[in-house]
Amino acid sequence: MAFYRCAIHDEDGTLVAENVKLYIEETTREGAAEWYGTISVTHLTRLEAGQRYRLVLDDGRAGQFLVRRNTFAGGADRAVAFHGTGPLE
């Protein structure tokens, strides 16, 4: 998994969070590129399971993703599992 920083936006483009730390795994399955990982955010960041968002990585790539799980990670942090829903480019 690779470590990045990113900004996260709602589907309507509203900024949800910035300078967020995340880990991404990029792989190819049955000839199709896939990406997924974990985002580390405070409990105040609104990322809801089942909702779609857009992230913009610090390297300039961007993509849509679906929040799979938003779980307590201890203290004020949350571990948010996500799965890309399109290309990360």
Side-chain angles (χ1 to χ4, degrees):
M1 282 193 157
F3 166 78
Y4 295 94
R5 293 258 177 206
C6 74
I8 299 173
H9 302 266
D10 275 342
E11 286 186 294
D12 69 3
T14 303
L15 182 66
V16 174
E18 58 186 335
N19 199 28
V20 174
K21 180 172 65 174
L22 75 158
Y23 298 92
I24 296 178
E25 180 71 32
E26 296 180 79
T27 188
T28 302
R29 186 177 305 179
E30 297 179 11
E34 288 188 16
W35 54 284
Y36 55 89
T38 306
I39 302 168
S40 179
V41 294
T42 71
H43 69 287
L44 299 174
T45 305
R46 57 175 182 82
L47 291 175
E48 298 178 32
Q51 296 297 312
R52 294 183 189 277
Y53 298 90
R54 178 174 176 77
L55 62 79
V56 180
L57 297 176
D58 56 1
D59 68 4
R61 294 183 295 159
Q64 300 288 329
F65 69 95
L66 176 70
V67 172
R68 299 188 66 133
R69 186 176 59 249
N70 186 342
T71 58
F72 180 68
D77 292 334
R78 296 276 179 187
V80 179
F82 68 90
H83 193 273
T85 60
L88 181 61
E89 41 190 29

